Amino acid sequence: MMRSLWTAASGMMAQQTSVDTIANNLANVNTTGYKSESTEFKSLLYQDLQSKTTSANGEFKPVSAQVGLGSRVASVTSHFTQGAMNSTDSNTDFAISGDGLFAIQDLDGNTVYTRNGNFYFATATEGMMLATSDGYPVLSSDGAPIVFSDEYNTSKITIDTDGNLLYPDETNNPQKTGIKLGIFQFTNPSGLEKLGNNYLAETDASGTPLNEDYDEVGKRSTLRQGYLEASNVQVATEMVNLITAQRAYELCSKAITTSDTMMEQANALKR
């Protein structure tokens, strides 16, 4: 069996994964806080055809003869570049400028993270709780759900750029409520596990979460109320990548067709 068949087949499978990744990016072009992904490749093993000369002495050649056996997907990397800030009419929409992530408590009580700041005040046992559109509690910098008693008019709650939640006093001057929105960073955010619905989970590759309120981080994030961060997907770039992946896929399929034709001709040779 000609090695080119398997080599080209590995390239087709790798390019198919690339097309899948690009399709996912385009599908999420309007998803709030979505971060674009790219497929990274690496070469497979190499087969040594000849490492010495054909002379009787068998001296080593300065350059050996090796043939690669194809490619495979090395990783699908997320790019945490800043998305555009889109203005909204909701005072519970928050956008992060920087590398931070919001902390959310899921149904199992685990902490997950997101860039989607589309929040709402939902009715809770103790009062009104800041929650995601799925009803999951948004966590403060202390790791507790953000809950306000019925004494507060949630429509008057604002936030400063540091994440402090404010409420107006008798003179209508915003005062700190003692609650701060939790913002966390990771040493390697691309290593976070994608859970779907814009949620990310901590892994060994991502490192432990760094609380911007307590831990030392390179640069602290800032918050903007009444804004949502758009996806950072660039449609023009994705279309170019899609064409490139399609052409690579076609070339690999052409290599398989050519190898098949060569084998047919070799088998048809008469003695």
Side-chain angles (χ1 to χ4, degrees):
M1 183 70 69
M2 297 178 67
R3 67 173 65 86
S4 59
L5 288 173
W6 297 102
T7 300
S10 70
M12 292 181 70
M13 290 186 289
Q15 294 302 326
Q16 179 60 60
T17 303
S18 178
V19 172
D20 293 341
T21 303
I22 295 170
N24 185 58
N25 286 338
L26 293 174
N28 285 282
V29 68
N30 289 323
T31 300
T32 302
Y34 176 80
K35 298 304 178 184
S36 63
E37 302 172 342
S38 63
T39 307
E40 310 293 340
F41 305 99
K42 65 180 179 181
S43 59
L44 294 176
L45 295 174
Y46 282 80
Q47 184 175 359
D48 286 322
L49 301 182
Q50 185 179 340
S51 59
K52 294 184 179 182
T53 63
T54 56
S55 66
N57 296 330
E59 296 90 347
F60 283 101
K61 295 177 63 177
V63 179
S64 62
Q66 292 181 301
V67 175
L69 300 181
S71 65
R72 61 170 295 184
V73 175
S75 65
V76 178
T77 305
S78 297
H79 302 285
F80 282 78
T81 55
Q82 185 73 45
M85 299 288 187
N86 292 335
S87 177
T88 68
D89 295 329
S90 175
N91 66 339
T92 55
D93 284 343
F94 308 115
I96 298 176
S97 177
D99 299 326
L101 295 163
F102 297 110
I104 309 296
Q105 187 180 76
D106 64 10
L107 287 176
D108 298 325
N110 300 319
T111 301
V112 295
Y113 303 90
T114 184
R115 290 280 293 194
N116 185 358
N118 180 214
F119 301 144
Y120 302 88
F121 276 107
T123 304
T125 305
E126 302 84 1
M128 299 297 290
M129 178 181 67
L130 189 64
T132 66
S133 57
D134 298 317
Y136 299 158
V138 179
L139 301 182
S140 67
S141 58
D142 296 326
I146 298 175
V147 180
F148 289 94
S149 65
D150 295 332
E151 299 175 356
Y152 288 86
N153 182 353
T154 54
S155 63
K156 296 182 179 181
I157 295 176
T158 57
I159 193 171
D160 62 14
T161 57
D162 293 328
N164 294 296
L165 293 171
L166 312 175
Y167 193 79
D169 58 13
E170 294 80 4
T171 59
N172 209 31
N173 291 322
Q175 301 295 326
K176 292 182 179 180
T177 61
I179 301 176
K180 190 172 184 179
L181 202 60
I183 304 296
F184 297 82
Q185 292 188 21
F186 289 87
T187 305
N188 178 30
S190 296
L192 291 167
E193 179 185 1
K194 304 171 186 69
L195 304 177
N197 294 326
N198 264 6
Y199 297 125
L200 305 168
E202 171 192 352
T203 65
D204 293 336
S206 67
T208 58
L210 301 175
N211 191 330
E212 291 194 2
D213 199 26
Y214 301 110
D215 299 323
E216 187 69 28
V217 295
K219 184 178 180 181
R220 298 187 184 278
S221 306
T222 57
L223 293 178
R224 300 186 67 178
Q225 186 176 21
Y227 287 84
L228 288 176
E229 181 187 12
S231 165
N232 66 350
V233 173
Q234 299 294 327
V235 176
T237 301
E238 297 301 326
M239 293 302 297
V240 171
N241 292 339
L242 182 61
I243 294 172
T244 302
Q246 180 186 8
R247 293 293 180 264
Y249 189 90
E250 291 175 354
L251 288 172
C252 290
S253 65
K254 182 63 176 178
I256 291 179
T257 304
T258 302
S259 299
D260 179 64
T261 302
M262 293 172 64
M263 292 177 64
E264 181 182 355
Q265 292 175 348
N267 291 331
L269 290 175
K270 294 183 179 180
R271 295 183 179 180

